[in-house]
Amino acid sequence: MQILMSRMRAAMQKYDMVHDGDCIAVGVSGGKDSLAMLYALSEMRRFYPAKYTLHALSIDPQFGGRPCDYSQIERLCERLDVPFTLKRTQLYDIIFNQRNEQNPCSLCARMRRGLLHDEAKRLGCNKLALGHHLDDAVVTFYMNLLNGGSIACFSPVSYLSRKELHLIRPMVFATEREVERAANRLQLPVIKSSCPADGVTERQRVKQLIDSLERQSGYSSLYQKTLGAMQRAHIDGWGTDQ
């Protein structure tokens, strides 16, 4: 956890993510990434220079038409002294049954983000923390390049003017392996995804391609090199002169 918090502090300070008095909604899907981020942000309240408050927020798509059990996450939040809000939705029914989407991941992600934005504002939060790590950023970059022919990625910090809400990604300097180690050592209550598309997405395919290049083709440290290139090229707020 010390390594993860060190990476997060570096990103938070480099990109000026957190200020005194911020009320940060933490998007908690139940996966290892969001839970590790929640735990780290909770611990960092003790020593981070800016004083902030947290509110954990989960959106349940009700995959398979059944509500997901978030009771262990609720207990974790009680232990961390972080308020927890759970919003049940009909996302699964809308996307997979009513619309029968051929590419469900894109629509699901957009709808979940919209619900997170609305709930964060309703709770009085001025920032929303999302659990994307370094690997996610690099995979997103290559997805945009390979599928859309564009040089683009999500930003470490972005502002939604219509919602008056900042999106922050405190884990963008942490690798997936570092996040996973922290989650395992803390024995966080990870919820296994019941999404029908889990593990067979385009994101997973591109990640496997990058991993294969690193292992089999001798392109060592490809994730770190790509992140460095994004910073030097000042792509979408990743520049080193922040």
Side-chain angles (χ1 to χ4, degrees):
M1 180 52 69
Q2 293 301 319
I3 292 175
L4 178 59
M5 288 194 293
S6 175
R7 299 276 192 263
M8 289 174 61
R9 179 166 184 162
M12 289 160 67
Q13 292 183 326
K14 181 177 182 62
Y15 296 113
D16 196 24
M17 292 185 184
V18 178
H19 303 138
D20 274 323
D22 280 346
C23 180
I24 305 172
V26 183
V28 179
S29 66
K32 67 181 189 309
D33 303 336
S34 59
L35 287 174
M37 177 179 66
L38 171 64
Y39 195 102
L41 285 173
S42 174
E43 288 294 297
M44 291 172 70
R45 289 179 298 183
R46 296 184 290 105
F47 59 82
Y48 194 74
K51 303 306 177 185
Y52 58 88
T53 58
L54 300 173
H55 196 123
L57 173 58
S58 293
I59 303 294
D60 181 12
Q62 299 198 94
F63 290 122
R66 297 181 299 274
C68 183
D69 182 7
Y70 286 84
S71 58
Q72 291 190 66
I73 292 177
E74 187 172 10
R75 286 194 289 271
L76 173 66
C77 289
E78 290 175 357
R79 181 159 60 90
L80 297 176
D81 193 24
V82 175
F84 174 67
T85 293
L86 170 62
K87 182 176 178 60
R88 307 280 188 189
T89 74
Q90 299 300 317
L91 283 180
Y92 171 81
D93 183 57
I94 293 170
I95 295 169
F96 289 92
N97 294 331
Q98 296 181 29
R99 298 185 54 154
N100 193 25
E101 284 286 320
Q102 298 303 306
N103 182 24
C105 298
S106 178
L107 178 61
C108 184
R110 290 199 306 273
M111 294 182 72
R112 290 175 78 169
R113 282 197 301 268
L115 289 166
L116 280 171
H117 302 162
D118 291 342
E119 284 297 299
K121 288 299 295 182
R122 186 185 68 80
L123 293 168
C125 300
N126 65 314
K127 292 184 177 174
L128 171 62
L130 302 175
H132 298 115
H133 45 62
L134 186 153
D135 296 43
D136 289 325
V138 172
V139 170
T140 299
F141 172 84
Y142 283 110
M143 285 177 66
N144 287 326
L145 177 63
L146 297 172
N147 295 323
S150 61
I151 304 294
C153 186
F154 56 69
S155 302
V157 177
S158 53
Y159 181 63
L160 304 178
S161 57
R162 288 190 298 175
K163 301 288 184 181
E164 297 183 328
L165 184 71
H166 281 90
L167 305 185
I168 62 174
R169 295 176 167 90
M171 296 202 301
V172 289
F173 286 169
T175 66
E176 182 174 23
R177 182 172 297 177
E178 290 167 342
V179 175
E180 185 172 21
R181 284 175 181 162
N184 289 339
R185 286 176 181 173
L186 292 167
Q187 296 183 315
L188 296 176
V190 174
I191 297 175
K192 180 173 173 52
S193 175
S194 56
C195 172
D198 186 47
V200 292
T201 63
E202 175 63 13
R203 174 169 293 276
Q204 184 64 26
R205 190 170 77 91
V206 173
K207 177 172 174 50
Q208 289 172 348
L209 173 62
I210 300 170
D211 291 345
S212 175
L213 286 172
E214 276 204 331
R215 289 194 309 268
Q216 301 175 19
S217 303
Y219 294 108
S220 62
S221 304
L222 188 54
Y223 284 93
Q224 295 289 350
K225 289 175 181 175
T226 303
L227 177 66
M230 289 164 55
Q231 291 178 318
R232 290 188 294 275
H234 304 278
I235 293 171
D236 293 326
W238 288 88
T240 54
D241 61 347
Q242 297 290 327

